Amino acid sequence: MNEPDPDVQLIGRVGRGEPAAARLLVAAKLPRMLGLATRVLQNTADAEEVAQEAFIRIWRHAGAWQPGRARFDTWLHTVVLNLCRDRLRRRREMTGDAVPDVADQAADAEAVLIETERGRAVADAIAALPERQREAILLIHYQDLSGQDAASALDISVEALESLLARGRRALRAKLAQMQETDV
């Protein structure tokens, strides 16, 4: 059977309006949610806004949280992904064009110091994947969700998730090999 959700008590405390519980929740979940949103959106400012909106939704709905329907972490990943999708859709509507698949190379100074060349190549290759493949790869490999939790977050079966992962990994290998050939 499923393991107990470690966040149930903390969400209950947040739902009762305990400020210390809210601070604990943000400290525990914000880095991963911000990382996911940044990887999906390829824009730090947009990712920060998405993470902020996700936590606002937590505070508004924590009192009504029903343990057992889904793990809190799975629900939170779903909320962040949906907010990212909405933001990407709005970007496309505003520009009239598809969002570029490659991140802006003019990153801030801190990101330039932190990110390695290989990391950029992988990030670019992931950004070039179709949306669902990209989300599956990010949830499994960057967010460390289980297959079942990632499938739940994407609202698909575990088998469909495995198919997305297989296609995404093949596409990544091909893209990275192509990048290496052009660099030589």
Side-chain angles (χ1 to χ4, degrees):
M1 181 125 188
N2 292 340
E3 64 187 59
D5 189 341
D7 298 314
V8 169
Q9 289 182 346
L10 186 58
I11 296 305
R13 290 177 53 207
V14 171
R16 290 188 296 275
E18 292 183 29
R23 284 191 297 276
L24 283 172
L25 185 69
V26 169
K29 304 296 182 183
L30 180 61
R32 289 172 47 86
M33 295 308 105
L34 191 54
L36 174 61
T38 301
R39 287 182 188 97
V40 171
L41 298 171
Q42 297 289 308
N43 180 298
T44 305
D46 285 349
E48 289 170 352
E49 288 179 15
V50 161
Q52 182 178 18
E53 177 62 27
F55 283 99
I56 289 171
R57 288 183 184 197
I58 290 169
W59 293 316
R60 285 184 183 152
H61 301 290
W65 177 253
Q66 296 178 0
R69 292 190 65 192
R71 287 175 46 96
F72 174 75
D73 228 25
T74 303
W75 176 81
L76 182 56
H77 278 83
T78 302
V79 168
V80 170
L81 282 174
N82 286 336
L83 289 169
C84 288
R85 289 174 187 146
D86 291 346
R87 190 162 292 259
L88 289 170
R89 199 173 301 114
R90 281 194 305 272
R91 276 188 204 165
R92 281 186 221 113
E93 290 169 0
M94 286 177 22
T95 64
D97 299 323
V99 176
D101 286 334
V102 179
D104 181 6
Q105 295 302 315
D108 61 18
E110 182 180 355
V112 171
L113 292 173
I114 294 172
E115 197 167 272
T116 65
E117 186 61 37
R118 182 172 184 211
R120 274 192 295 274
V122 171
D124 290 347
I126 290 172
L129 290 173
E131 179 179 310
R132 299 294 277 180
Q133 290 176 19
R134 180 177 58 244
E135 291 172 351
I137 294 281
L138 292 174
L139 289 175
I140 293 293
H141 295 290
Y142 287 87
Q143 297 304 114
D144 296 322
L145 290 187
S146 69
Q148 181 150 358
D149 287 345
S152 291
L154 294 171
D155 196 26
I156 59 176
S157 68
V158 173
E159 293 79 16
L161 173 73
E162 290 170 358
S163 177
L164 283 173
L165 287 170
R167 289 192 317 256
R169 289 173 183 143
R170 275 194 306 273
L172 278 175
R173 279 192 293 275
K175 181 72 173 168
L176 290 170
Q178 179 185 16
M179 289 173 154
Q180 283 182 331
E181 289 174 5
T182 58
D183 288 344
V184 175

